[in-house]
């Protein structure tokens, strides 16, 4: 057998042709011919002394560089494009504009007098008041504009953006309506009594939580007979949860089963619509399946501004305004344990301003952004962001317009990549009078910034006369 | 710039493999096909494909051997199907002067699978598992082909030492 090895070694005496040039030629032949010709001519003209091997390498390098530049250009353009347009109106005339990327010119999508802009969660549609018998529904590029349903002024978008619910009627006649965005007649959900106009959609787009009054309740504030109800928007099945009187619209957990509700003790707002030092709402968790109610935080001397569930549904973050002033951000465990105060600011919003306009939760509820008076100042505001995972607080922009007749809320882009805020125009038309800043002219500019404070940009300048606090994203 | 470095780096890797391994591959293919044109065609095409495919080819040395043998096997089938062509070209005779003409003749009488296994075992010094990988076969088949091919080759060469 050793001889076989030796005999095979005889093959080594055969001279072998150098085929590498042929290999390169074949590899080039895979390139489409016109491109191949251009490549060859380019190299022949520019670098006539190059060998074929070198020119092949150079062609590869040039090709890769071109691809790299194209990729960088695409990535840069994509970075500036918003996942959904930022919509705003002008102070004079009320024209509705859409801005789809940083650095672009805003496009007018409605020339009339638009107000009460409500962009769908997916950013594809906008509902706004525009002088018709009902609000106008349009795509956010202005196309497919039509009058939606008469009376749907306080609309609530379903999380999937396919349906809108609203309350219509007055007094004892308040009824709950629902309609598909894609068309079809609005239908009335058969719920008894009057419905308060604050609706909370479940994450599965099926249930609506709301506050209702018993039929015939003469109290226009619906205090004595109010309760929290959940209606199945498909079957109409109704569940009632005792005498809970939500101080704010309930907030669904991600599991679609539990709700966080700030409730007035005793089922009644102690001073309806007002604020006095005393007992604020308690925080309860409601199990929509069993009807169980768990008190997570007893009433404190604070008003609850807004609530959000953590991503794992194990905590509820409560943003509260102590009656003594300032703001508290508390983390409340849902399965027992101590309440953790994440932050307390002695200087928050101007007293009395925080009841209907609060800070903004990021999509998914992981961050909170708000405008806040600078320490020791009565007129200069900053934009703050808190990462709720670790309670880290960051001031991400200064010289922010924080108040214009009411608290000005920052806006999150639908992907959470940007925060929009306002600044005063270069020639301000505001009067400052602690604690209120009276808007006289009403214009401002819109800026955007990353949640970490980087990449701040002016996107809508003074010339548009932006109606401060009325934009939506 | 990483992409550029990767592309240039890949071409250099393939050329390095070619410089160290292509001669042996060519000779193995010549022994397998008995035709220098098929050997050259198979080597050039295998390396060109490796170059075009880029780093998706994890092991260029093994990949080019497997590919080249497949190309050569395809060329042999085509040649046999072509009744008008000769078994070998004129260059075969010229090259035989430097090699072992009896060995090449004996190899040409083995079935393709046995011939490939024997060449990779005795000339390329590859273990059975690696032969299987390079021929796209499995260890059992390679052992069987190797055993039968070795016996047949011994008979043809009159080699009885084994």
């Amino acid at each position: 057998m050793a001889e076989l090895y030796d005999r095979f070694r005889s093959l080594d005496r055969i001279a072998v042709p150098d085929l590498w040039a042929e290999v390169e030629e074949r590899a080039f032949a895979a390139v489409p011919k016109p491109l191949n010709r251009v490549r060859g001519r380019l190299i022949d003209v520019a670098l006539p002394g190059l060998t074929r091997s070198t020119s092949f390498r150079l062609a590869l390098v040039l090709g890769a560089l071109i691809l790299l530049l194209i990729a960088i250009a695409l990535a840069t353009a994509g970075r500036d494009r918003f996942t959904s347009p930022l919509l705003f109106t002008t102070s004079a005339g009320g024209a509705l504009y859409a801005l789809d990327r940083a650095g672009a010119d805003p496009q007018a999508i409605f020339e009339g007098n638009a107000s009460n802009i409500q962009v769908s969660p997916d950013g594809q549609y906008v509902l706004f008041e525009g002088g018709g018998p009902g609000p106008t529904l349009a795509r956010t590029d202005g196309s497919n504009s039509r009058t939606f349903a008469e009376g749907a002024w306080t609309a609530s978008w379903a999380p999937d953006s396919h349906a809108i619910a609203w309350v219509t009627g007055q007094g004892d006649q308040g009824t709950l309506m629902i309609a598909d965005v894609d068309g079809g007649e609005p239908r009335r959900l058969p719920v008894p009594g009057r419905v308060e106009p604050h609706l909370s959609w479940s994450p599965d787009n099926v249930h609506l939580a709301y506050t209702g009054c018993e039929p015939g309740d003469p109290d226009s504030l619906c205090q004595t007979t109010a309760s929290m109800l959940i209606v199945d928007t498909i079957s109409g099945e109704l569940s009632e949860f005792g005498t809970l009187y939500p101080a704010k619209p309930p907030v669904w957990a991600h599991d679609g089963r539990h709700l966080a509700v700030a409730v007035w003790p005793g089922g009644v707002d102690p001073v309806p619509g007002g604020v006095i030092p005393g007992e604020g709402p308690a925080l309860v968790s409601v199990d929509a399946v069993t009807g169980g109610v768990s008190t997570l935080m007893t009433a404190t001397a604070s008003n609850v501004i807004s609530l959000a569930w953590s991503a794992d549904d194990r905590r509820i973050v409560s943003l509260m305004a102590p009656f003594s002033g300032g703001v508290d951000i508390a983390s409340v465990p849902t399965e027992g344990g101590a309440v953790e105060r994440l932050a307390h600011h002695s200087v928050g919003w101007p007293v009395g301003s925080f009841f209907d306009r609060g800070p903004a939760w990021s999509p998914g509820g992981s961050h909170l952004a708000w405008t806040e008076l600078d320490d020791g100042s009565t007129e200069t505001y900053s934009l703050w962001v808190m990462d709720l995972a670790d309670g880290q607080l960051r001031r991400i922009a200064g010289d922010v317009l924080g108040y214009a007749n009411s608290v000005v809320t920052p806006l999150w882009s639908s992907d959470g990549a940007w925060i929009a805020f306002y600044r005063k125009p270069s020639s301000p038309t505001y009067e400052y009078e602690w604690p209120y800043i009276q808007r006289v002219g009403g214009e401002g500019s819109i800026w955007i910034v990353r949640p970490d404070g980087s990449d701040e940009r002016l996107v809508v300048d003074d010339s548009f006369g932006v109606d401060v606090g009325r934009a939506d994203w | 710039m990483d992409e550029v470095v990767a592309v240039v780096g890949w071409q250099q890797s393939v050329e390095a493999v070619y410089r160290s391994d292509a001669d042996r591959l060519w000779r193995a293919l010549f022994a397998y096909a008995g035709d220098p044109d098929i050997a050259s065609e198979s080597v050039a095409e295998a390396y060109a494909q490796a170059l075009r495919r880029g780093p998706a080819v994890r092991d260029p040395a093994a990949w080019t051997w497997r590919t080249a043998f497949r190309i050569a096997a395809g060329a042999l089938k085509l040649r046999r199907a072509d009744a008008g062509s000769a078994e070998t070209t004129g260059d075969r005779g010229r090259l035989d002067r430097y090699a072992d003409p009896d060995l090449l003749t004996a190899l040409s009488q083995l079935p393709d699978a046995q011939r490939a296994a024997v060449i990779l075992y005795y000339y390329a010094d590859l273990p059975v598992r690696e032969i299987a990988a390079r021929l796209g076969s499995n260890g059992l088949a390679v052992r069987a082909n190797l055993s039968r091919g070795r016996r047949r080759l011994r008979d043809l060469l009159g080699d009885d030492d084994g």
Side-chain angles (χ1 to χ4, degrees):
Chain A
M1 199 54 57
E3 190 183 339
L4 265 185
Y5 277 109
D6 295 338
R7 297 187 76 154
F8 269 99
R9 295 282 77 77
S10 69
L11 290 170
D12 288 332
R13 295 199 295 270
I14 300 174
V16 175
D18 186 348
L19 298 167
W20 184 248
E22 173 73 13
V23 169
E24 288 184 332
E25 188 64 35
R26 286 170 185 253
F28 268 129
V31 181
K33 284 188 175 177
L35 187 60
N36 205 13
R37 275 204 301 277
V38 170
R39 174 193 61 80
R41 192 182 308 139
L42 181 70
I43 292 172
D44 288 346
V45 171
L47 302 163
L50 290 178
T51 63
R52 180 177 284 175
S53 175
T54 311
S55 65
F56 174 70
R57 288 193 186 117
L58 188 61
L60 283 177
V61 170
L62 285 173
L65 269 176
I66 290 168
L67 286 174
L68 197 62
L69 288 173
I70 292 171
I72 289 170
L74 288 174
T76 305
R79 211 167 92 89
D80 287 346
R81 182 169 290 280
F82 305 144
T83 49
S84 62
L86 168 66
L87 270 63
F88 66 91
T89 56
T90 57
S91 180
L96 180 59
Y97 284 85
L99 179 70
D100 63 2
R101 67 183 169 87
D105 290 329
Q107 301 297 311
I109 62 171
F110 181 70
E111 299 287 0
N113 191 2
S115 61
N116 195 19
I117 307 167
Q118 298 167 84
V119 176
S120 62
D122 65 1
Q124 298 296 307
Y125 293 92
V126 58
L127 197 67
F128 61 93
E129 296 178 30
T136 298
L137 176 68
R139 296 193 70 90
T140 44
D141 62 3
S143 64
N144 295 345
S145 171
R146 66 180 170 95
T147 298
F148 192 58
E150 194 169 346
W153 308 116
T154 56
S156 175
W157 284 93
D160 66 1
S161 303
H162 289 163
I164 295 174
W166 70 96
V167 177
T168 186
Q170 298 292 323
D172 201 27
Q173 303 303 311
T175 53
L176 185 55
M177 305 290 290
I178 187 171
D180 290 336
V181 173
D182 297 332
E185 287 298 310
R187 59 192 173 92
R188 179 181 183 276
L189 290 171
V191 299
R194 200 179 79 224
V195 178
E196 295 285 277
H198 297 294
L199 309 173
S200 299
W201 281 92
S202 61
D204 62 4
N205 306 288
V206 172
H207 296 90
L208 274 171
Y210 68 96
T211 304
C213 307
E214 285 183 9
D217 185 345
D219 185 349
S220 62
L221 291 171
C222 185
Q223 289 189 67
T224 54
T225 64
S227 60
M228 193 186 85
L229 299 102
I230 295 176
V231 61
D232 183 322
T233 59
I234 297 171
S235 68
E237 185 184 352
L238 197 65
S239 307
E240 186 171 347
F241 296 87
T243 56
L244 298 177
Y245 184 72
K248 294 285 175 185
V251 180
W252 288 86
H254 301 93
D255 65 8
R257 172 172 174 167
H258 294 88
L259 299 101
V261 194
V263 294
W264 291 112
V268 177
D269 183 348
V271 182
V275 54
I276 57 167
E279 202 172 26
L283 176 61
V284 302
S285 171
V286 176
D287 186 330
V289 175
T290 65
V293 177
S294 308
T295 299
L296 304 176
M297 189 169 64
T298 53
T300 61
S302 302
N303 195 9
V304 172
I305 302 170
S306 57
L307 304 168
W309 291 79
S310 62
D312 60 4
D313 286 339
R314 300 183 68 175
R315 291 185 307 145
I316 297 169
V317 176
S318 175
L319 189 72
M320 299 176 295
F323 295 145
S324 57
V327 57
D328 276 339
I329 302 175
S331 174
V332 184
T334 55
E335 295 170 359
V339 174
E340 179 186 2
R341 179 190 269 187
L342 297 178
H344 171 77
H345 280 210
S346 56
V347 182
W349 299 278
V351 174
S353 67
F354 42 71
F355 280 98
D356 53 1
R357 304 293 298 278
W361 296 98
S362 64
S366 63
H367 291 73
L368 194 59
W370 70 91
T371 54
E372 182 178 309
L373 268 172
D374 291 339
D375 229 356
S377 172
T378 58
E379 60 184 68
T380 60
Y381 288 74
S382 293
L383 177 61
W384 291 79
V385 170
M386 172 177 271
D387 183 340
L388 297 171
D390 56 12
Q392 188 184 7
L393 204 59
R394 183 181 279 129
R395 176 181 177 273
I396 62 169
D399 192 25
V400 170
L401 209 164
Y403 197 87
N405 287 341
S406 66
V407 171
V408 176
T409 306
L411 299 168
W412 287 87
S413 61
S414 57
D415 62 352
W418 294 100
I419 302 171
F421 61 96
Y422 305 88
R423 282 202 168 111
K424 288 177 284 190
S426 48
S427 302
T429 48
Y430 291 81
E431 291 176 355
Y432 303 102
E433 180 184 351
W434 172 257
Y436 302 107
I437 301 171
Q438 301 295 338
R439 188 177 60 174
V440 178
E443 297 88 15
S445 54
I446 299 180
W447 299 66
I448 58 173
V449 65
R450 299 282 184 187
D452 64 1
S454 66
D455 210 4
E456 182 183 302
R457 304 183 193 192
L458 169 66
V459 289
V460 184
D461 63 28
D462 294 351
S463 63
F464 282 89
V466 172
D467 193 4
V468 171
R470 305 290 191 270
D472 201 8
W473 202 350
Chain B
M1 288 306 290
D2 288 349
E3 283 183 45
V4 178
V5 171
V7 170
V8 174
W10 176 248
Q11 195 208 354
Q12 288 173 340
S13 301
V14 174
E15 186 170 2
V17 172
Y18 177 89
R19 296 296 172 203
S20 68
D21 206 34
D23 283 3
R24 215 158 48 109
L25 174 59
W26 190 94
R27 291 180 183 117
L29 288 164
F30 173 68
Y32 174 73
D35 186 330
D37 291 340
I38 290 179
S40 294
E41 168 71 18
S42 302
V43 168
E45 185 59 26
Y47 277 96
Q49 285 194 25
L51 214 48
R52 286 201 294 265
R53 288 169 189 249
V57 177
R58 291 182 188 174
D59 182 349
W63 191 90
T64 46
W65 275 72
R66 184 166 61 245
T67 304
F69 266 85
R70 285 183 180 171
I71 293 168
L76 280 177
K77 281 183 183 171
L78 280 175
R79 195 177 65 182
R80 287 171 191 147
D82 183 1
S85 69
E87 181 68 17
T88 59
T89 68
D91 281 344
R92 162 74 186 271
R94 180 177 62 79
L95 293 168
D96 283 355
R97 285 180 294 158
Y98 303 100
D100 181 338
D102 293 340
L103 175 66
L104 293 175
T105 301
L107 282 171
S108 70
Q109 296 179 47
L110 298 182
D112 288 355
Q114 291 180 20
R115 188 165 65 252
V118 167
I119 291 169
L120 291 179
Y121 186 83
Y122 286 104
Y123 177 65
D125 288 335
L126 295 176
V128 170
R129 184 192 297 173
E130 186 65 21
I131 294 170
R134 294 198 181 192
L135 295 178
S137 182
N138 60 69
L140 281 176
V142 169
R143 283 180 199 282
N145 285 323
L146 194 55
S147 173
R148 289 169 191 158
R150 186 167 51 197
R151 190 164 56 242
R152 175 81 172 133
L153 202 57
R154 200 170 55 228
D155 292 344
L156 290 168
L157 292 170
D159 180 7
D160 52 3
D161 71 345

